[in-house]
């Protein structure tokens, strides 16, 4: 049986770099860190057991930061080169008229990502928009698979938002990876048994939105007008955490860490202090079973207007 008191779970964490390349998150009060600080955050993460980075061409200059870090490690011959997950921006929303235009867009995006990160092969490349799975009879996926066949990309996948998109991804039977939103307020994939189905299908599951872009960590009395509906849930969460002698960050990360189907847990940080907190929490003892049951019971019907950031505006 796994001894959570002695195990080091840092390798299950993936450092998300959206905050390092752009202003990201509803609770982000420090803004985007300067380049030197961003590189220090990446260095600290890799030096302390985190072995993968999550990025996208749409995350500001995050790919260039990763490229600078990788090049520096290569020149020093440290061997500390992380695996990288990046994403192709929405294809369908660009309204390309021809097959050739769509293919050129995907190819140029992948080549640009390779160039910015100073690597010759992508570990993982995902569709950032799940609608790209189904437009034009799966044409985009077929083209993505060609990059895998040519060994330009090792693994392909998709980043999703809704349970029905998970079901579509499984039906296609072509993805190696799926990124899903999962957090203490968002129980949808657990309720529908989709995590277990993905795991059974040998699809690597990466959890994102662990803190729901920082909403879970906010003071309930400081919520913006459009998120007042979250107040009752955050107050309950705060009460539960205090009764266990935990803070909100600890409660949120421990809950997700102990979902067995998750291969990777993506966390974002604007400061090394935040990163250190995540690294400390990931090795804490598990939540009591009765607490996990209470979480699943109370937060099973949180409205989509709260758990889906696309609906916050």
């Amino acid at each position: 049986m796994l001894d959570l008191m002695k195990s080091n779970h840092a390798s299950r964490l993936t450092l998300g770099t959206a905050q390092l390349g752009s202003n990201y998150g509803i609770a982000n009060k420090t803004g985007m860190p300067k380049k030197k600080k961003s590189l220090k955050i990446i260095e600290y993460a890799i030096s302390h057991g985190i072995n993968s980075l999550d990025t996208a061409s749409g995350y500001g200059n995050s790919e260039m930061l990763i490229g600078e870090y990788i090049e520096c490690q290569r020149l020093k011959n440290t061997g500390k080169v992380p695996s990288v997950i990046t994403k192709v921006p929405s294809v369908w929303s660009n309204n390309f008229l021809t097959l050739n235009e769509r293919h050129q867009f995907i190819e140029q995006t992948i080549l640009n990502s390779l160039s910015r990160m100073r690597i010759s092969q992508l570990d993982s490349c995902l569709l950032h928009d799940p609608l790209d799975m189904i437009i034009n009879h799966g044409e985009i996926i077929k083209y993505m698979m060609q990059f895998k066949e040519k060994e330009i990309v090792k693994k392909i996948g998709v980043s999703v938002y809704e349970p029905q998109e998970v079901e579509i991804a499984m039906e296609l039977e072509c993805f190696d990876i799926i990124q899903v939103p999962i957090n203490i307020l968002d129980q949808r994939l657990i309720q529908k048994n989709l995590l277990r189905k993905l795991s059974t299908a040998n699809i690597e599951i990466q959890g994102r939105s662990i803190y729901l872009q920082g909403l879970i960590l906010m003071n309930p009395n400081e919520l913006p007008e459009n998120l007042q509906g979250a107040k009752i849930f955050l107050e309950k969460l705060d009460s539960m955490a205090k009764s266990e002698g935990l803070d909100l960050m600890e409660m949120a990360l421990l809950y997700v860490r102990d979902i067995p189907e998750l291969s990777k847990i993506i966390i974002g940080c604007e400061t090394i202090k935040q990163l250190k907190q995540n690294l400390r929490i990931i090795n804490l003892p598990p939540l009591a079973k009765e607490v996990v049951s209470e979480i699943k019971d109370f937060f099973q019907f949180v409205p989509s207007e709260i758990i889906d950031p696309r609906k916050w505006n």
Side-chain angles (χ1 to χ4, degrees):
M1 186 174 178
L2 184 65
D3 187 343
L4 289 167
M5 292 295 290
K6 295 180 181 178
S7 298
N8 185 353
H9 296 274
S11 62
R12 283 190 69 207
L13 292 176
T14 291
L15 179 64
T17 62
Q19 285 99 319
L20 304 185
S22 59
N23 289 310
Y24 180 87
I26 190 173
N28 184 346
K29 295 180 180 179
T30 60
M32 184 181 74
K34 293 183 178 179
K35 184 173 85 167
K36 190 174 180 180
K37 284 189 176 181
S38 293
L39 289 169
K40 282 186 176 180
I41 290 171
I42 295 173
E43 168 65 30
Y44 192 91
I46 303 304
S47 297
H48 288 79
I50 295 176
N51 56 23
S52 53
L53 305 174
D54 177 78
T55 187
S57 59
Y59 293 168
N61 66 348
S62 64
E63 287 189 335
M64 294 185 72
L65 282 168
I66 292 170
E68 191 165 330
Y69 171 79
I70 288 174
E71 183 66 15
C72 181
Q73 300 309 308
R74 192 180 287 133
L75 290 171
K76 293 179 181 178
N77 197 28
T78 63
K80 294 193 296 184
V81 177
S83 64
V84 181
I85 305 124
T86 192
K87 306 173 196 78
V88 173
S90 175
V91 180
W92 77 270
S93 64
N94 277 281
N95 297 314
F96 296 119
L97 297 177
T98 67
L99 172 71
N100 188 52
E101 285 178 320
R102 291 187 286 274
H103 283 189
Q104 282 186 342
F105 175 77
I106 296 167
E107 180 177 7
Q108 197 57 54
T109 297
I110 290 173
L111 293 177
N112 286 345
S113 290
L114 289 168
S115 175
R116 284 191 288 261
M117 292 190 284
R118 309 184 197 190
I119 52 180
S120 58
Q121 184 185 49
L122 291 174
D123 295 293
S124 305
C125 188
L126 316 183
L127 297 174
H128 214 161
D129 189 337
L131 282 174
D132 283 337
M133 291 190 291
I134 56 176
I135 64 164
N136 297 102
H137 309 289
E139 160 207 301
I140 291 170
I141 295 172
K142 291 173 186 173
Y143 193 56
M144 288 278 287
M145 289 179 74
Q146 290 184 31
F147 289 92
K148 184 178 174 182
E149 290 163 4
K150 294 174 183 176
E151 299 185 346
I152 296 171
V153 174
K154 289 182 185 177
K155 298 178 182 179
I156 63 169
V158 62
S159 181
V160 302
Y161 297 89
E162 307 276 359
Q164 54 266 41
E165 293 164 352
V166 174
E167 292 169 347
I168 291 169
M170 284 193 293
E171 288 171 6
L172 291 170
E173 297 184 337
C174 63
F175 293 122
D176 305 295
I177 298 172
I178 188 166
Q179 273 192 13
V180 300
I182 187 95
N183 56 70
I184 208 163
L185 299 184
D186 189 349
Q187 305 284 327
R188 295 172 297 171
L189 301 184
I190 295 171
Q191 291 169 354
K192 295 178 181 292
N193 202 33
L194 287 172
L195 295 180
R196 189 168 297 175
K197 290 178 180 177
L198 283 166
S199 182
T200 301
N202 292 317
I203 297 173
E204 180 181 333
I205 311 166
Q206 300 177 348
R208 69 167 199 277
S209 297
I210 309 308
Y211 303 118
L212 197 49
Q213 293 192 17
L215 175 63
I216 287 171
L217 308 180
M218 288 186 72
N219 183 327
N221 296 316
E222 296 179 0
L223 290 169
E225 188 63 34
N226 59 320
L227 285 170
Q228 285 298 310
K231 187 173 183 179
I232 185 174
F233 299 106
L234 295 185
E235 288 176 339
K236 173 65 174 177
L237 184 57
D238 184 57
S239 174
M240 290 177 67
K242 285 177 179 174
S243 69
E244 293 300 307
L246 301 170
D247 61 31
L248 292 173
M249 194 172 182
E250 290 167 338
M251 179 78 93
L253 182 51
L254 289 175
Y255 176 74
V256 174
R257 181 200 67 187
D258 293 333
I259 297 173
E261 293 87 359
L262 293 181
S263 300
K264 290 287 186 180
I265 300 165
I266 300 167
I267 50 113
C269 306
E270 297 107 44
T271 65
I272 285 183
K273 180 181 177 181
Q274 293 171 352
L275 178 56
K276 288 179 178 179
Q277 287 176 309
N278 281 283
L279 285 165
R280 176 186 62 81
I281 294 167
I282 200 69
N283 288 312
L284 290 177
L287 299 173
K289 289 182 180 179
E290 55 269 25
V291 174
V292 173
S293 296
E294 186 179 0
I295 288 169
K296 289 181 178 179
D297 182 56
F298 188 85
F299 299 111
Q300 62 180 309
F301 298 120
V302 181
S304 63
E305 290 77 17
I306 294 170
I307 58 177
D308 189 343
R310 297 174 301 173
K311 299 178 181 180
W312 288 355
N313 296 323

